Amino acid sequence: MANGEKNGWTPFRHSKEDARKVHEVPDTAQTRSPAYRLAYVDEDFMMRRELRAVRIGLELMKPEFSFVEHGIKSTVVLFGGARIPEPGKEPRAAKTPEQKKNLENASRYYDEARKFSRLCSQYSASTGHHEFVIITGGGPGVMEAGNRGAADVGAPSIGLNIVLPHEQAPNPYVTPDLCFDFHYFAMRKMHFLMRAKVIAIFPGGFGTLDEFFESLTLIQTGRMKRVPILMFGREFWQNVINLDYLAEQGTISPDDAKLVNYVESADEGWSIIRQFYQLV
């Protein structure tokens, strides 16, 4: 198929053709000048602060095109701590003996996240992997468990990595064609929620809390339809966040505390989803 015909015929030259053509021009002072570069392949130009809005738009569009091409209609979002190890593995993030002990105890959530992901992915298979596709931050810990659970049953899963100051790489269980890297947290957060039918929150730190409260605020304010919010580990979360106290103080409505469901197991979480969406 000729260039331009995939999405409808056009008589104009394709941008890729011109991007290749520039390498064939004579080598002169003029053609070596940065000013002569095509704007859309000029990295220095694209990185200008004034073009931040363009880059933000590109980070919205690139994954979106891929999700549409893969036919992904809805997702199950897994948020949770990157520091939670697989059972039997050393909690490398621990800085004190107490942290080591607590992270080792929290490793059970790795197994529950993996099992939960398997349950969602098994149902997703009945939809041709168009619905209830697992999406995580693509990193280690609970995120790895989520992608791994999907891989266990041969299902695709999404990973939304982000560039951080410390070295990191996506976990090996993310489907390669659905593994993305972001510069802008805002665009990454949008992609987490744009297709979300379920939000599963496992024990975690600041990042998990940030994602939880943003999701909860969107639902509370009616900016997002209500979807099941599953909080894995009642004891952990009720020690970290006291929603009942906020309701007592009048800073949230009494019914706002009911937007979340505390669960202890993957089976319990999946049961709530099935009931909410009346799945067979």
Side-chain angles (χ1 to χ4, degrees):
M1 183 176 289
N3 281 335
E5 291 186 24
K6 182 177 179 182
N7 297 313
W9 182 82
T10 174
F12 298 116
R13 285 174 59 84
H14 194 277
S15 55
K16 285 184 178 179
E17 292 179 288
D18 282 355
R20 288 192 294 266
K21 192 71 177 176
V22 297
H23 298 293
E24 302 172 12
V25 298
D27 183 19
T28 68
Q30 290 75 24
T31 61
R32 287 194 298 271
S33 169
Y36 192 74
R37 298 173 192 158
L38 288 170
Y40 56 87
V41 294
D42 184 344
E43 186 172 304
D44 292 333
F45 174 69
M46 289 297 294
M47 295 300 143
R48 289 177 64 110
R49 289 191 176 185
E50 297 89 340
L51 291 187
R52 178 176 290 152
V54 175
R55 295 193 298 275
I56 289 173
L58 291 174
E59 286 206 344
L60 177 66
M61 293 167 67
K62 182 180 177 180
E64 177 65 17
F65 288 165
S66 184
F67 296 155
V68 170
E69 288 166 2
H70 283 81
I72 296 172
K73 296 178 181 177
S74 70
T75 56
V76 175
V77 186
L78 267 72
F79 293 136
R83 303 182 184 199
I84 292 178
E86 180 182 358
K89 295 287 184 70
E90 186 75 14
R92 296 181 180 177
K95 305 299 183 187
T96 66
E98 184 179 15
Q99 284 193 343
K100 182 176 185 294
K101 174 187 172 184
N102 289 333
L103 286 172
E104 286 173 343
N105 289 336
S107 67
R108 68 185 185 275
Y109 293 112
Y110 184 104
D111 277 347
E112 290 302 326
R114 185 176 175 182
K115 182 178 180 181
F116 176 73
S117 181
R118 282 201 301 267
L119 292 171
C120 295
S121 298
Q122 285 168 341
Y123 180 82
S124 180
S126 71
T127 73
H129 298 301
H130 298 309
E131 303 276 359
F132 293 90
V133 177
I134 295 295
I135 183 170
T136 81
V142 166
M143 295 173 280
E144 176 186 289
N147 296 117
R148 188 175 182 179
D152 286 342
V153 293
S157 69
I158 302 163
L160 306 183
N161 239 210
I162 191 159
V163 179
L164 296 174
H166 55 270
E167 183 182 352
Q168 67 159 15
N171 71 68
Y173 302 104
V174 181
T175 300
D177 288 347
L178 294 171
C179 188
F180 302 94
D181 203 12
F182 287 82
H183 172 71
Y184 297 105
F185 265 104
M187 288 301 100
R188 180 176 181 252
K189 290 178 178 180
M190 282 195 68
H191 281 297
F192 272 132
L193 299 181
M194 283 173 66
R195 287 172 169 80
K197 275 193 172 178
V198 180
I199 301 170
I201 316 284
F202 291 81
F206 289 160
T208 303
L209 287 165
D210 174 46
E211 292 154 344
F212 163 64
F213 278 118
E214 186 156 50
S215 304
L216 193 60
T217 300
L218 287 169
I219 292 173
Q220 182 212 37
T221 57
R223 296 293 298 178
M224 177 178 172
K225 288 183 179 180
R226 184 169 182 177
V227 302
I229 298 180
L230 308 176
M231 307 290 288
F232 280 79
R234 178 187 289 269
E235 182 182 358
F236 176 89
W237 286 115
Q238 289 190 336
N239 272 290
V240 174
I241 308 164
N242 192 336
L243 297 181
D244 291 333
Y245 181 77
L246 291 177
E248 289 170 7
Q249 296 302 306
T251 56
I252 63 172
S253 297
D255 286 344
D256 288 341
K258 300 175 184 176
L259 293 174
V260 305
N261 302 274
Y262 295 102
V263 298
E264 300 301 327
S265 69
D267 288 325
E268 190 180 353
W270 179 242
S271 177
I272 289 172
I273 295 168
R274 290 185 63 182
Q275 192 171 26
F276 188 92
Y277 289 109
Q278 298 183 329
L279 303 178
V280 178

